[in-house]
Amino acid sequence: MSNEKINAAELLQKAGEAARKAYCKYSRFSVGAALLTEDGKVYTGCNIENGSYSLTVCAERTAIFKAVSEGDTRFAAIAIVGGADNDLTRPCSPCGACLQVMSEFCSGEFEIILTDGTHTLDELMPKRFEL
Ligand code: THU
């Protein structure tokens, strides 16, 4: 990750802090995301579940929608951690819906930082829908 303001380990740390705020009383699976803008700002997000299950919003989309609603649409990287019962060590890959939302704003080189290293949007979603 080529940003002098924050490195991958620090971004993962912020994702971990966000995961602690997860509202996940139904699944007990907490997810945190930390989204880095091209100009060095960080937006965090957690998953927010709902008793009407399909209304649940993922951590990644929470972070992206926070950023876009503040006028930021140019992103360099996102760090994601997640796991059951607060075990955030295993890699937590973003779901297809979140990858598609990333692809609305990011190129294939967009970096997706998991606990097993840095991936790209091209790697995790090679054939993306484009309108
Ligand atoms: N979840 C995320 O926050 N991000 C993903 O990319 C996939 C799943 C959340 C949604 C739900 O609250 C919990 O994980 C279990 O599916």
Side-chain angles (χ1 to χ4, degrees), residues 3 7 9 12 21 40-42 51 57 79-80 84 91 99 104 110 125:
N3 190 294
N7 63 35
L12 277 168
K21 301 192 176 101
K41 258 190 261 172
V42 176
V57 180
I80 304 160
L99 288 166
E104 182 69 28
F110 178 66
M125 199 185 219

Side-chain angles (χ1 to χ4, degrees), residues 74-100:
R74 295 166 65 84
F75 308 124
I78 191 168
I80 304 160
V81 298
D85 298 318
N86 295 316
D87 175 6
L88 304 177
T89 51
R90 271 188 283 171
C92 179
S93 209
C95 75
C98 289
L99 288 166
Q100 181 63 34

Side-chain angles (χ1 to χ4, degrees), residues 27 29 31 47 49 56 58-60 94-95 98:
S27 73
F29 193 101
V31 184
N47 51 330
E49 298 187 344
T56 292
C58 293
E60 300 90 324
C95 75
C98 289

Side-chain angles (χ1 to χ4, degrees):
M1 204 175 67
S2 59
N3 190 294
E4 61 280 358
K5 290 186 180 142
I6 191 163
N7 63 35
E10 289 165 333
L11 209 56
L12 277 168
Q13 168 79 28
K14 286 187 186 295
E17 286 161 20
R20 287 205 288 273
K21 301 192 176 101
Y23 181 80
C24 57
K25 63 192 272 191
Y26 304 106
S27 73
R28 311 303 310 165
F29 193 101
S30 38
V31 184
L35 176 68
L36 178 67
T37 67
E38 282 186 354
D39 57 6
K41 258 190 261 172
V42 176
Y43 290 91
T44 59
C46 61
N47 51 330
I48 305 168
E49 298 187 344
N50 192 280
S52 178
Y53 296 159
S54 65
L55 301 181
T56 292
V57 180
C58 293
E60 300 90 324
R61 276 178 285 159
T62 302
I64 293 167
F65 294 158
K66 278 171 70 178
V68 174
S69 68
E70 295 296 321
D72 276 312
T73 55
R74 295 166 65 84
F75 308 124
I78 191 168
I80 304 160
V81 298
D85 298 318
N86 295 316
D87 175 6
L88 304 177
T89 51
R90 271 188 283 171
C92 179
S93 209
C95 75
C98 289
L99 288 166
Q100 181 63 34
V101 170
M102 289 173 204
S103 81
E104 182 69 28
F105 300 101
C106 308
S107 72
E109 290 80 53
F110 178 66
E111 293 184 353
I112 299 168
I113 301 162
L114 308 180
T115 57
D116 65 351
T118 298
H119 305 267
T120 64
L121 183 56
D122 264 342
E123 181 192 337
L124 298 190
M125 199 185 219
K127 300 273 185 202
R128 302 182 286 279
F129 172 76
E130 272 181 71
L131 189 64

